[in-house]
Amino acid sequence: MEGPPTHRTEECREYVDEQRLVERAKDDPGAFGELYDVHFDRIYAYIYRKTGDRQAAEDLTADTFMKALMNIRGYRYTGQPFAAWLYRIASNVVIDYYRVRRPTAPLEEGFPITTTGNTPEEAALALDDQQAIARAVRSLSPDQQDVVLMRFAGDMKLKDIAAALGKTEGAVKALLFRALGALRSKLSESGVRG
């Protein structure tokens, strides 16, 4: 007798379905369009948080998907989701972007402004906290920034981040642990409330 599907079974089914779609996309641009639709929001959000510039994020996201489309025939399933391959391309596109030009927009713009306060004072405090968080994230190493953004902004699993960055899962865990420790320390110094 077969039991109810587990989370792991659903996850495997999603990977298999996605891999079928990837294989179709190698010959059918329409199938690639489906992959674009599935992954656009996360890739755009990742790039936007890395650049803090909407126009640059739109352009770099387009570059990321164009590079993916041009190289889809060379993609080989390695046990990691297709998104990991896309994040690796996006990461390289952002690195190339910064090699050519210096960032002009502050990182704070890459974080959504949310105010939970009912009064202008509470809203101002929330904004101050967000700016302190952005400064703290900006002070991390590039690898730590990537891991934090992929984990919390991109809602990625550690194994997928590892695949996207070409690192082991243990290395990603260590980077995340050190990054969170550094953030905790910097935010405590800044007086950001938890």
Side-chain angles (χ1 to χ4, degrees):
M1 182 160 104
E2 204 175 299
T6 65
H7 176 68
R8 178 133 5 262
T9 321
E10 285 297 315
E11 189 175 283
C12 290
R13 198 171 298 135
E14 287 174 18
Y15 284 154
V16 169
D17 291 344
E18 184 174 64
Q19 287 315 306
R20 286 186 186 135
L21 185 56
V22 169
E23 289 304 314
R24 279 190 19 235
K26 290 180 178 183
D27 296 314
D28 175 12
F32 187 83
E34 291 179 51
L35 289 167
Y36 174 91
D37 291 342
V38 168
H39 297 287
F40 175 84
D41 289 339
R42 282 185 171 176
I43 297 299
Y44 172 81
Y46 168 74
I47 292 173
Y48 180 67
R49 286 182 172 89
K50 293 291 285 179
T51 63
D53 180 325
R54 278 185 170 71
Q55 185 62 49
E58 289 171 7
D59 292 345
L60 297 177
T61 301
D63 288 351
T64 297
F65 281 100
M66 183 56 71
K67 287 181 183 209
L69 176 62
M70 299 308 289
N71 293 293
I72 189 81
R73 288 182 179 269
Y75 171 81
R76 298 287 175 258
Y77 180 68
T78 60
Q80 302 300 323
F82 181 71
W85 187 64
L86 285 176
Y87 273 101
R88 181 174 287 171
I89 294 170
S91 179
N92 289 335
V93 165
V94 169
I95 288 168
D96 291 344
Y97 169 76
Y98 281 118
R99 281 186 184 138
V100 174
R101 86 190 254 311
R102 292 246 182 239
T104 56
L107 184 62
E108 291 88 349
E109 292 180 20
F111 289 86
I113 303 300
T114 56
T115 56
T116 55
N118 296 326
T119 68
E121 293 82 12
E122 289 172 333
L125 287 172
L127 180 58
D128 284 347
D129 286 354
Q130 284 184 327
Q131 290 171 339
I133 292 168
R135 281 190 304 274
V137 170
R138 191 174 48 237
S139 74
L140 298 173
S141 73
D143 280 347
Q144 289 174 332
Q145 287 180 33
D146 283 345
V147 169
V148 167
L149 292 174
M150 287 179 180
R151 180 71 173 145
F152 299 109
D155 197 29
M156 290 180 69
K157 296 177 180 148
L158 293 175
K159 70 178 183 173
D160 299 341
I161 296 168
L165 297 178
K167 298 185 180 304
T168 66
E169 193 171 338
V172 168
K173 284 179 185 178
L175 275 169
L176 185 59
F177 179 78
R178 286 192 296 272
L180 293 176
L183 287 173
R184 195 174 300 115
S185 174
K186 288 185 186 305
L187 294 175
S188 177
E189 291 169 11
S190 299
V192 174
R193 41 196 176 17

